[in-house]
Amino acid sequence: MIDDDPVKLGFVCVQNAGRSQMSYAFAEREVERRGLDGHVELLTGGTHPADHVHEEVVDAMAAVGIDVSGRTPREVTDAELNECDYVATMGCSTLSLSDSVEARDWPLADPDGKSPEAVAAVRDEIESEVVALFDEAFGEHGSDGDAAGDSAGADGGDRQ
């Protein structure tokens, strides 16, 4: 159940130029779809951030209607992550997280330099992981919010 304190979700990879950027973008979409504005705080970063989001990631996200072209990778600190309720890591599971943080290590391939088909496969896997995390944190997809209800049956239904 949603209370007054926002749920904080963090998405971290090494360069913050691919997997975590896609995760963050899909999380933003889930917040909107589920009507969770003001109830969720999102964080993304990398342990060794790149200079820019990988071009193949920009292209793969554009193919599903999400623009990440103007985003800049940033470094994330353990202190920032320890303020999160959930942290999904993608290749940097050596972070020092407190016991109060629900850590999820998503074993995702690095999309950097991969073919458009390979990047699309990673993107689709990330989308599924993000939806599952939101289902865990906030209840089944479609139980709250306007747009979310369109993809699930009256009984909560399966995720797309």
Side-chain angles (χ1 to χ4, degrees), residues 13-61:
C13 65
V14 176
Q15 295 186 353
N16 190 225
R19 296 164 288 185
S20 58
Q21 289 286 347
M22 288 190 279
S23 299
Y24 185 84
F26 283 123
E28 289 176 316
R29 188 186 68 187
E30 284 302 302
V31 167
E32 184 178 326
R33 281 184 171 177
R34 295 173 188 238
L36 294 171
D37 286 331
H39 299 289
V40 178
E41 288 182 20
L42 301 174
L43 171 70
T44 189
T47 54
H48 300 291
D51 294 329
H52 55 82
V53 175
H54 302 310
E55 203 54 47
E56 53 271 16
V57 168
V58 171
D59 293 343
M61 294 302 286

Side-chain angles (χ1 to χ4, degrees), residues 45-112:
T47 54
H48 300 291
D51 294 329
H52 55 82
V53 175
H54 302 310
E55 203 54 47
E56 53 271 16
V57 168
V58 171
D59 293 343
M61 294 302 286
V64 295
I66 299 174
D67 181 10
V68 297
S69 63
R71 302 196 182 192
T72 303
R74 64 178 291 274
E75 187 170 1
V76 68
T77 67
D78 286 348
E80 287 176 301
L81 295 173
N82 281 315
E83 293 177 3
C84 291
D85 297 292
Y86 297 86
V87 171
T89 63
M90 299 149 225
C92 53
S93 57
T94 59
L95 297 169
S96 298
L97 299 175
S98 76
D99 291 339
S100 65
V101 177
E102 291 285 333
R104 303 290 182 272
D105 188 28
W106 296 343
L108 301 163
D110 185 350
D112 188 18

Side-chain angles (χ1 to χ4, degrees), residues 9 11 86 88 104 106 129-138:
L9 307 174
F11 302 96
Y86 297 86
R104 303 290 182 272
W106 296 343
E129 292 284 4
V130 169
V131 170
L133 180 60
F134 271 76
D135 286 349
E136 178 183 346
F138 304 103

